[in-house]
Amino acid sequence: GAPHVVIVGGGAGGATAARYIAKDAGEAINVTLIEANPQYTTCFFSNLYLGGFRSFASITHGYDTLAANYGITVVNARATAIDRQARAVRLADGSRVAYDRLIVAPGIDLIYDSVPGYSEDATGIMPHAWKAGPQTQLLKSRLDALEDGQQIVIVPPPNPYRCPPAPYERASVFAHVLKAKGHTGSRIIILDPKPKFSKQALFSEGWEKYYPGMIEWYGPDVHGGIKGVDPAAGTVETDFDTFHGALVNVIPAQRAGRIARDAGLADDSGYCPIDPASMRSMMDENIFVLGDAAIAGDMPKSAFAANSQAKVAAMNVRGDLIESKVFPARYANTCWSLIETDDSVKVGAQYAPTAEKIASTSSFISQTHEASEVRKTNYEESLGWYAGITADIFG
Ligand code: FAD
């Protein structure tokens, strides 16, 4: 019969790969997509949901089109192990799915105890909302319930993590919600383990312009280091002080999803090394790793990047199995961040493989003091991007 490609993880990377292989190979390759959840809520644009710009339904997508229009077998189950010797994936019910090529795209796992005192249990009190779904809804309900004068504390993660500008876009939409309600007595305190952050000059300018005095960012040279959180007390302790938040958003450190690490696909960094020319695992020639779980050189961990990497992997999988032509790999990324209504900034790059890594070949970033029309155009561009990429991922 036709060769079989199995994909673990139906997110931005995995679902794109499934769709491109099925679309371009037709019946020459059988494609099975294994995804733990029946629906996928995008982390991308989840900050817009928090800010009241988007509904939850508008950022939630299903797998019906991939099954109906592309002949992909969608298995709604958790993969529990990869048997690399036998080339098979084990599912939670004990069944096995054999593969000729495997694509592993499980996204990230959160290292809860990277922040002392934080735990999976504590996520019900101090939501991370770094995997979208119930956590995002909890964070929004807590945000919407705040009263004037109450304080928010955000603890961003250390590098590397999914979506570098997102903690700061999140602070912006929090401020947008508070300001719109006239809660100008509230403060948003960001206690960052990093000395600097993505698009810092742009965010700082925007915060001063739209939310004067509302957002305070402190790096480690000011707070001395994050010592831990006390979920019951609602506090974050640093070397020099204790901060109380009516809402505390803790975003812990991250690493590749467990299935990839358990299969021996990750290195000591917790992420998976890949061949920059193909996204093929450096640990196993029958496996490709994409998206947040992979070490993608200069590329950030983003949905745009995962979608771009998936197309390169899909092309190489088809080359392996049905000898279709393989072109040189090219990758791209753009990340938009909304600072206030109609004011969006962006950063992006093009990439090509070198022997060592996926390397940036050209890049761009929004400038401070830009005209408001430019920022509004950026926002409109981001809306078009979201519509386009979700159609490219889910059909
Ligand atoms: P994911 O999209 O997380 O998909 C992984 C999938 O694998 C999940 O559906 C999971 O259920 C499944 N899975 C995991 N393990 C298993 C298993 N063992 N068995 C079965 N299924 C499994 N990116 C942008 O490009 N633009 C943005 O504006 C943007 N904004 C963001 C804002 C926030 C607040 C956050 C947190 C992220 C944002 N991102 C953005 C980043 C983006 O969401 C991620 O980089 C992207 O989702 C990574 O894709 P992925 O396929 O690697 O992982």
Side-chain angles (χ1 to χ4, degrees):
H4 191 201
V5 177
V6 173
I7 294 131
V8 174
T16 302
R19 182 167 164 272
Y20 270 75
I21 294 168
K23 178 168 78 68
D24 295 338
E27 289 179 355
I29 297 178
N30 290 325
V31 180
T32 299
L33 177 62
I34 300 169
E35 165 56 48
N37 297 314
Q39 289 198 304
Y40 178 85
T41 301
T42 59
C43 274
F44 37 116
F45 272 31
S46 66
N47 284 332
L48 273 62
Y49 159 71
L50 294 173
F53 298 94
R54 300 282 292 215
S55 69
F56 192 74
S58 81
I59 60 166
T60 303
H61 305 268
Y63 296 94
D64 291 352
T65 310
L66 291 181
N69 294 5
Y70 299 92
I72 296 168
T73 304
V74 179
V75 178
N76 182 205
R78 176 160 291 278
T80 52
I82 298 167
D83 183 343
R84 285 166 46 188
Q85 229 71 63
R87 280 198 267 149
V89 176
R90 183 154 24 94
L91 304 184
D93 67 0
S95 63
R96 292 163 71 88
V97 185
Y99 64 82
D100 294 296
R101 289 294 179 277
L102 177 67
I103 295 179
V104 178
I108 51 138
D109 274 359
L110 298 162
I111 308 172
Y112 297 106
D113 61 5
S114 65
V115 179
Y118 198 58
S119 65
E120 192 162 3
D121 279 347
T123 64
I125 306 172
M126 295 181 164
H128 55 79
W130 223 244
K131 293 190 180 200
Q135 275 282 299
T136 323
Q137 290 175 300
L138 173 64
L139 183 56
K140 177 149 178 71
S141 66
R142 295 281 303 279
L143 171 67
D144 290 346
L146 290 177
E147 287 164 20
D148 194 11
Q150 288 188 311
Q151 185 161 283
I152 300 175
V153 180
I154 302 175
V155 182
N159 290 320
Y161 63 97
R162 120 178 320 179
C163 205
Y168 315 97
E169 180 185 57
R170 185 171 277 177
S172 307
V173 299
F174 283 173
H176 165 81
V177 167
L178 297 173
K179 182 179 128 184
K181 285 195 197 168
H183 291 182
T184 47
S186 289
R187 292 286 169 274
I188 300 166
I189 313 286
I190 305 171
L191 300 171
D192 212 319
K194 305 180 292 299
K196 59 187 175 114
F197 63 89
S198 173
K199 305 186 210 175
Q200 185 159 2
L202 295 164
F203 280 113
S204 302
E205 179 191 57
W207 294 345
E208 214 162 286
K209 176 174 178 189
Y210 297 116
Y211 316 114
M214 287 182 75
I215 302 178
E216 297 169 23
W217 178 86
Y218 300 116
D221 57 331
V222 176
H223 60 64
I226 311 289
K227 281 173 73 179
V229 296
D230 182 340
T235 53
V236 182
E237 206 186 322
T238 67
D239 267 8
F240 302 142
D241 225 331
T242 300
F243 295 84
H244 181 268
L247 171 57
V248 181
N249 177 202
V250 177
I251 309 162
Q254 295 155 35
R255 58 186 167 188
R258 180 171 180 177
I259 186 85
R261 287 181 289 113
D262 284 356
L265 300 173
D267 67 15
D268 289 345
S269 72
Y271 291 100
C272 303
I274 48 88
D275 169 10
S278 62
M279 302 307 295
R280 193 185 304 272
S281 167
M282 298 297 271
M283 313 297 195
D284 189 323
E285 62 182 12
N286 297 313
I287 299 180
F288 293 76
V289 184
L290 333 160
D292 290 355
I295 300 172
D298 293 344
M299 299 187 85
K301 297 187 186 303
S302 76
F304 198 130
N307 172 263
S308 174
Q309 294 158 12
K311 293 172 194 179
V312 170
M315 176 177 67
N316 280 276
V317 164
R318 286 186 292 110
D320 280 10
L321 298 178
I322 57 172
E323 286 165 26
S324 68
K325 191 156 168 44
V326 177
F327 296 93
R330 290 290 175 271
Y331 305 91
N333 179 65
T334 303
C335 283
W336 290 266
S337 301
L338 189 62
I339 299 180
E340 174 57 298
T341 308
D342 287 333
D343 190 336
S344 171
V345 292
K346 61 179 176 178
V347 59
Q350 307 284 329
Y351 309 84
T354 65
E356 287 81 38
K357 63 170 183 176
I358 301 179
S360 169
T361 53
S362 66
S363 65
F364 59 88
I365 183 165
S366 295
Q367 300 301 304
T368 51
H369 308 299
E370 269 173 343
S372 55
E373 300 84 66
V374 174
R375 299 296 181 83
K376 186 162 190 259
T377 303
N378 288 346
Y379 181 60
E380 283 156 6
E381 204 175 271
S382 77
L383 298 180
W385 168 76
Y386 188 87
I389 196 172
T390 50
D392 203 42
I393 297 168
F394 297 105

